[in-house]
Amino acid sequence: MDSKVDDQGERAFRPQATRLAFSITDVCEVTALGRTTIYAAIKDGALVARKHGRRTVVLADDLSAFLRGLPATKPVSRAVADEDV
């Protein structure tokens, strides 16, 4: 991702035109999923990763397909939601 470190030491992201591929670190940042989860998805074949030397990248199209393939959450009924409050 195109980022700079701000005054607090955190990464601030700037929008980019079109991103073709993401590093594993970038995949984790844009999806809010952990490294272990991402590597497990790669191992299981749910997420396609590609190697160039030691570098592992995930193509933007493959990441989109992975995310679209995740199960959708079911709506919570109003009665169940009220019980939790």
Side-chain angles (χ1 to χ4, degrees), residues 77-85:
S77 72
R78 190 71 178 146
V80 173
D82 290 338
E83 291 175 12
D84 293 337
V85 177

Side-chain angles (χ1 to χ4, degrees), residues 5-56:
V5 177
D6 64 14
D7 295 337
Q8 290 78 32
E10 295 190 21
R11 295 174 82 173
F13 292 99
R14 294 180 296 190
Q16 291 185 339
T18 301
R19 188 80 185 255
L20 298 177
F22 298 90
S23 68
I24 297 300
T25 299
D26 292 341
V27 170
C28 294
E29 289 176 2
V30 300
T31 62
L33 297 173
R35 291 179 74 82
T36 304
T37 301
I38 296 301
Y39 278 113
I42 292 168
K43 181 179 179 183
D44 294 341
L47 177 60
V48 177
R50 299 164 195 275
K51 296 287 284 189
H52 183 265
R54 295 181 61 190
R55 182 76 168 191
T56 302

